[in-house]
Amino acid sequence: PVEGCVVLFTEAFFKQRYNTEVIHYFNFLKCNQINGFVLTSDEIERCIHLIELMQVEYDTAKLGARDVLRNYLNILLQMLGRQITKNFGFVQMDEKEEKIVAFETLVDENYKERRFPSFYAERLNISVNYLNRICREKRALSCGTLIRNRIVLEAERLLYHTFKTIKEIAYELGFENVPYFITFFKAKKGQSPEEFRKNQ
């Protein structure tokens, strides 16, 4: 019998606070990666302590609980990421994974102006069909969905961390039409930008 814990969180939750480069350090979290390693009893104890702190924070839901949870989560991931590096060296990426990471980096740099997969495929010297295929294989999403998710993530960050108006956020993200931005956001999140901001 195995005893353990499962920590569930979204990439958007983590990225709302930390810069986009950080998540690339945690390649072992990607849907196609399965990694196992042995922890010492001291390391297990520290991980369990962190998870207990996270559970208390989650249950009490005090002011700022989300930020505290995010910080605990970052520490836990850093500890586990260090184990991956120690046991296996830096996780070796195959050619497809390298292309995906390059694609994700390009999206982070260009998503406000460049929304079409063709731009990214051209920059990576591959066809749109191939880019779409490896995105589905490695991330279980189409390249178009990954681009749209990045736009929504930035909208969430701006709504959560700034006092900018919906109109200002829409223009900052490259939307010339504010109602279209609201429709776009609602289709992805199930609520309007204003509702999202009120619920945070």
Side-chain angles (χ1 to χ4, degrees):
V2 176
E3 293 184 11
C5 303
V6 176
V7 180
L8 298 173
F9 65 97
T10 64
E11 188 174 15
F13 172 79
F14 186 79
K15 280 187 172 180
Q16 272 183 9
R17 171 65 181 82
Y18 296 101
N19 65 41
T20 52
E21 287 81 24
V22 172
I23 204 72
H24 294 314
Y25 175 73
F26 304 125
N27 261 343
F28 67 94
L29 293 176
K30 301 297 184 180
C31 61
N32 66 311
Q33 299 275 354
I34 300 174
N35 296 288
F37 41 84
V38 178
L39 301 174
T40 66
S41 56
D42 180 54
E43 289 164 342
I44 291 171
E45 195 174 311
R46 282 187 288 147
C47 286
I48 289 172
H49 180 62
L50 263 174
I51 291 169
E52 287 171 349
L53 289 171
M54 291 169 76
Q55 186 68 57
V56 169
E57 203 63 38
Y58 181 81
D59 291 340
T60 55
K62 292 180 181 175
L63 183 67
R66 289 169 62 91
D67 290 325
V68 173
L69 274 170
R70 205 175 279 113
N71 288 329
Y72 284 147
L73 176 61
N74 183 42
I75 294 168
L76 181 64
L77 294 178
Q78 292 285 355
M79 288 170 61
L80 296 175
R82 190 166 52 197
Q83 287 303 315
I84 290 282
T85 303
K86 186 172 82 176
N87 288 310
F88 304 109
F90 288 104
V91 179
Q92 293 296 313
M93 293 188 285
D94 61 25
E95 187 180 334
K96 291 178 182 177
E97 186 67 29
E98 285 178 0
K99 284 286 186 193
I100 293 295
V101 171
F103 167 66
E104 290 170 332
T105 302
L106 279 172
V107 170
D108 286 338
E109 294 167 355
N110 298 283
Y111 67 92
K112 291 180 183 178
E113 298 85 26
R114 305 291 187 168
R115 307 271 171 94
F116 295 107
S118 56
F119 167 80
Y120 299 98
E122 186 178 324
R123 292 286 298 273
L124 294 167
N125 295 314
I126 58 177
S127 71
V128 173
N129 285 342
Y130 182 68
L131 176 59
N132 207 38
R133 190 163 69 247
I134 62 174
C135 283
R136 289 185 184 281
E137 181 183 327
K138 295 292 187 177
R139 299 294 184 264
L141 295 169
S142 70
C143 51
T145 299
L146 290 169
I147 296 166
R148 289 187 291 276
N149 286 351
R150 182 63 185 90
I151 296 165
V152 171
L153 171 63
E154 193 61 25
E156 288 179 319
R157 291 173 68 175
L158 291 168
L159 289 164
Y160 186 76
H161 290 292
T162 75
F163 295 104
K164 292 180 178 180
T165 66
I166 305 302
K167 183 178 181 179
E168 288 172 328
I169 291 171
Y171 289 151
E172 183 170 334
L173 294 177
F175 291 87
E176 294 179 10
N177 184 312
V178 178
Y180 176 61
F181 167 66
I182 294 169
T183 302
F184 172 85
F185 188 89
K186 193 168 187 176
K188 295 293 285 182
K189 300 300 296 181
Q191 54 187 337
S192 71
E194 196 65 50
E195 290 167 335
F196 176 85
R197 176 171 267 169
K198 286 177 182 175
N199 292 333
Q200 294 307 301

